[in-house]
Amino acid sequence: MRSSKIRLIGLVLLIVVLTVGTVAYIFDSKKNNSKVSSNRAQKSTAGINKTDVEKKIEPKYNKLREFKGKDLVHNDKQIPVLMYHSIADNSKVTNVASKSIILPPEVFKEQMQYLKDNGYTTLTLDELYNFLKNDKPVPQKSVVLTFDDAYEDNYTNAYPILKEFGFRGTIFVITGGTDKIGAYLTSAQLKEMDANGMDIQSHTVNHEDLDTLSLEKQQETLAQSKQFLEKLLNKKVDYIAYPSGKYNDFTEQAAKNAGYTMAFTINSGWANKDTNILFLNRVFVNALKGIDQFKERLTSPNYE
Ligand SMILES: [Zn+2]
């Protein structure tokens, strides 16, 4: 059952890859809009000097918080790590697979409102790592928000909502697209978000299918993307999401050699202490499904 579920997710992602042209077309048709928002983004960061950025960094943006008080869990084995991609209007998208990974901002906001209303804490990846690896306690209602590929709409649409709710999120960046492909986040946007509580981590250089690559080639893209982000953000990058969740027998060694300490697949389920920390599950938030599925996946580790 589980492996057929994994196969199904794999199939969906294969379709996604095959239809990437469709998505590219959509982004292309939005190019003018994109340019406008990109300019706006540059404008909004260009005027901020270093002191302003420093002012905006508050203690609550620490990547590793100490959780105290009641309602903490030490030994619960699993936490849902939600997987998002694009946060944008999908009403004109006809391809089902593409549509499933483009979540409209108002739906995203509804989900964040649900998390807020129900007392959820959004963990950083450092906090998740410390929970999984070092048994550090976290609030009972903990969740991790992740965004794959680093689409520009993560800045224009998701980031303002996350800020509004005081939530933390992680963006896995295809570093070869940074400042080169209009649909992706710019380095200025990545820097701004990093300084304001978002976590910026790796998603390889060119979204390579790792399952087709040698150890050497995998290590190359894993290490280069890590170095790119470390240089850009002047911080350590320890975590990665494998593109399309694909991996082979070399991947674990490649990830270790490149210096990663935790990594994510798209295998369905909650991130579990019993799983190899370099192959953690994630919860796919399907844009074609309603809030009921969102709630179910958030509350049932063994969701269907
Ligand atoms: Zn991806």
Side-chain angles (χ1 to χ4, degrees), residues 118-220:
N118 289 276
Y120 277 88
T121 299
T122 51
L123 299 182
T124 65
L125 290 194
D126 284 345
E127 289 160 355
L128 177 69
Y129 178 85
N130 250 11
F131 169 76
L132 293 174
K133 196 79 180 172
N134 303 324
D135 281 326
K136 290 281 182 204
V138 294
Q140 280 200 9
K141 285 185 172 178
S142 285
V143 63
V144 178
L145 309 175
T146 67
F147 302 81
D148 284 17
D149 304 337
Y151 294 109
E152 199 197 21
D153 58 52
N154 290 179
Y155 178 84
T156 51
N157 295 334
Y159 178 48
I161 295 169
L162 292 170
K163 271 199 294 193
E164 184 186 331
F165 286 97
F167 282 170
R168 313 294 295 268
T170 297
I171 295 173
F172 292 115
V173 183
I174 305 167
T175 58
T178 308
D179 296 327
K180 293 196 181 74
I181 302 172
Y184 294 120
L185 292 164
T186 65
S187 47
Q189 291 165 338
L190 290 172
K191 278 184 184 180
E192 186 189 334
M193 287 194 285
D194 175 67
N196 287 282
M198 295 298 116
D199 204 356
I200 310 299
Q201 301 286 341
S202 172
H203 199 41
T204 73
V205 177
N206 289 310
H207 210 267
E208 292 91 344
D209 287 337
L210 298 181
D211 62 336
T212 64
L213 301 182
S214 66
L215 172 63
E216 197 182 30
K217 287 285 171 198
Q218 289 189 50
Q219 206 174 302
E220 198 176 292

Side-chain angles (χ1 to χ4, degrees), residues 274-294:
D274 293 337
T275 308
N276 184 333
I277 199 162
L278 291 172
F279 297 96
L280 294 172
N281 297 328
R282 283 189 294 167
V283 177
F284 175 46
V285 180
N286 189 334
L288 303 175
K289 302 290 182 180
I291 192 81
D292 286 345
Q293 188 189 72
F294 178 79

Side-chain angles (χ1 to χ4, degrees), residues 24-38 152 181-183:
Y25 172 75
I26 293 155
F27 280 117
D28 204 44
S29 66
K30 281 184 177 174
K31 218 175 196 168
N32 289 336
N33 282 338
S34 216
K35 269 184 187 153
V36 171
S37 57
S38 184
E152 199 197 21
I181 302 172

Side-chain angles (χ1 to χ4, degrees), residues 200-252:
I200 310 299
Q201 301 286 341
S202 172
H203 199 41
T204 73
V205 177
N206 289 310
H207 210 267
E208 292 91 344
D209 287 337
L210 298 181
D211 62 336
T212 64
L213 301 182
S214 66
L215 172 63
E216 197 182 30
K217 287 285 171 198
Q218 289 189 50
Q219 206 174 302
E220 198 176 292
T221 184
L222 297 187
Q224 282 178 7
S225 55
K226 186 176 192 288
Q227 285 154 12
F228 176 91
L229 292 173
E230 288 181 340
K231 195 168 170 225
L232 178 73
L233 306 169
N234 194 27
K235 66 155 197 177
K236 263 194 106 219
V237 169
D238 295 317
Y239 314 124
I240 185 165
Y242 305 129
S244 309
K246 291 177 180 173
Y247 52 86
N248 64 17
D249 291 344
F250 301 125
T251 307
E252 181 170 6

